Amino acid sequence: QGRDTYQFYSERLSAAVQRRLEIETGLRRALESDQLNLVYQPKIDLGTRSISGAEALLRWESPDLGNVSPDEFIPVAEETGLIIPIGDWVLRTACKEAAAWKKLIADPVHVGVNLSSVQFLQGDLFNKVENALAESGLPAGLLDLELTESVLVANPEETISTLNRLKEMGADVSIDDFGTGYSSLSYLTRFPLDNLKIDRAFVTNLPDDENAVAIVRAIISMANSLNLTIIAEGVETENQVSFLHALGCQVGQGYLFSKPVESAQFVKLLTKDRG
C-alpha cells in the first residue's frame, strides 16, 4: 500500500489464498466433470405480467467445495482465463436450451447470457456467438447479450465493432447492473444497445427511499429518451412493480415473480404462462 508503511500478517490471508487455489483447481475440473449448471430467472412484462424472457445464471456444485457462489468463482475464472471455456459452455448451453423452449411454445422468449470483458478481449466472440446460434438453431433475435459497464471500458473500440456485428446479426445487447460501475453516459450513445438493466441496489429501497426514487426516475427517463427497454432487477414487492411501471419501466426480474429455476421448471412456468 505504498512506501513507509507496514502491515500485520494474519492467518486469514493464508486461508484466502488457499481458498482461491482450491477454487481455481476445482474450476479446471468442473467443466470436464459436468459440475456446472445453468438456471434461468424469468423476466416479466410489467404491463401484461407475462414472461418475456429469462436470464441464464451459472451455478457450480463442487463435490469437494459444495455450492460455490458465482460472486466467488467468477472473478477467479476471469483472472485465470478459465472464463473463456466456461463462457463458451454457457453460451452454447443457453442457446441449445432456449431453442428447445421455442419448439414447445408458440410465443418464443429471449434468453439473456452474461459476457465477460475477457471474452471480448480474446477477439473471436462474434464467431463463437454465430456458431452457438447455428449449432442450436436459435434465431439470433432471441439472444440477449448482457454486458456490465466494465466490459465497455476494457477495449471500447474493439467492443463497439464486435457489438455492431452482433447487432447486424440480430442479437440484442443489454447493459447489466447499470449505475454501479463506471456509468459514463457517453456509453449509452456510443454503444449499440437495446436494453438497460437497473441494478437491484436501487430497486430494493423503492418506493420509500427518496434518493433511490430520484436515481431510478432519472435512469428510466434517460433510457426512455434513448429508446432503450428498461429492465428492473431485484423486484420483490407489488409496490415496487406499481412504482416502476408508473415511471415507464417495461420489464421486471426478481423473487416476486420467480427465483432462478432449472430449464425444465422454466418450461413449466412458460407453459402455464402461455396457457
Side-chain angles (χ1 to χ4, degrees):
Q1 295 188 20
R3 295 182 176 182
D4 299 322
T5 68
Y6 61 89
Q7 313 296 329
F8 287 101
Y9 170 80
S10 73
E11 289 185 7
R12 183 170 53 83
L13 297 175
S14 277
V17 171
Q18 180 63 30
R19 174 70 175 177
R20 188 193 179 288
L21 183 59
E22 289 171 349
I23 289 173
E24 180 181 344
T25 303
L27 272 178
R28 293 186 184 279
R29 292 195 296 261
L31 266 175
E32 305 165 5
S33 309
D34 240 6
Q35 298 170 19
L36 298 179
N37 184 38
L38 288 184
V39 292
Y40 299 88
Q41 186 166 39
K43 298 176 183 178
I44 307 297
D45 184 304
L46 297 184
T48 64
R49 291 299 182 98
S50 63
I51 298 174
S52 62
E55 179 182 1
L57 299 166
L58 184 61
R59 298 291 183 261
W60 176 27
E61 175 73 36
S62 165
D64 302 316
L65 304 174
N67 254 323
V68 186
S69 165
D71 291 339
E72 189 175 19
F73 74 78
I74 291 295
V76 175
E78 290 182 325
E79 290 166 18
T80 58
L82 289 170
I83 195 65
I84 298 298
I86 290 174
D88 293 348
W89 178 86
V90 169
L91 180 63
R92 292 194 311 272
T93 303
C95 288
K96 179 182 176 182
E97 295 189 331
W101 307 339
K102 182 177 177 292
K103 295 177 182 178
L104 298 173
I105 57 170
D107 186 16
V109 297
H110 287 75
V111 64
V113 176
N114 292 282
L115 296 178
S116 161
S117 59
V118 181
Q119 291 170 278
F120 273 88
L121 292 172
Q122 194 189 36
D124 61 348
L125 179 63
F126 176 83
N127 293 331
K128 290 182 176 180
V129 172
E130 189 176 43
N131 291 337
L133 291 171
E135 290 170 9
S136 65
L138 182 73
L142 295 181
L143 178 62
D144 180 13
L145 301 169
E146 300 193 9
L147 326 172
T148 61
E149 292 161 297
S150 61
V151 173
L152 304 183
V153 299
N155 189 351
E157 299 310 319
E158 181 71 27
T159 301
I160 289 173
S161 173
T162 301
L163 290 181
N164 278 326
R165 294 180 69 195
L166 291 168
K167 285 284 295 171
E168 288 169 8
M169 182 197 296
D172 275 4
V173 178
S174 297
I175 287 294
D176 200 8
D177 303 332
F178 183 78
T180 61
Y182 296 90
S183 299
S184 171
L185 299 183
S186 66
Y187 296 146
L188 299 184
T189 56
R190 290 184 64 202
F191 289 82
L193 306 174
D194 299 283
N195 312 303
L196 186 151
K197 300 187 77 174
I198 304 174
D199 188 75
R200 69 183 63 248
F202 304 118
V203 175
T204 297
N205 296 319
L206 295 178
D208 302 319
D209 185 290
E210 291 183 3
N211 290 331
V213 167
I215 291 172
V216 169
R217 180 179 283 117
I219 291 173
I220 291 176
S221 175
M222 177 181 59
N224 277 328
S225 297
L226 293 169
N227 295 315
L228 300 175
T229 297
I230 306 129
I231 304 167
E233 297 181 289
V235 177
E236 296 185 354
T237 70
E238 287 292 345
N239 282 343
Q240 290 169 347
V241 172
S242 300
F243 181 82
L244 288 163
H245 188 49
L247 285 182
C249 178
Q250 299 98 331
V251 181
Q253 180 181 342
Y255 274 42
L256 174 66
F257 307 116
S258 174
K259 65 181 182 180
V261 295
E262 302 276 346
S263 181
Q265 182 62 30
F266 181 69
V267 168
K268 290 181 181 179
L269 291 175
L270 262 182
T271 305
K272 181 180 177 181
D273 181 74
R274 296 302 191 259

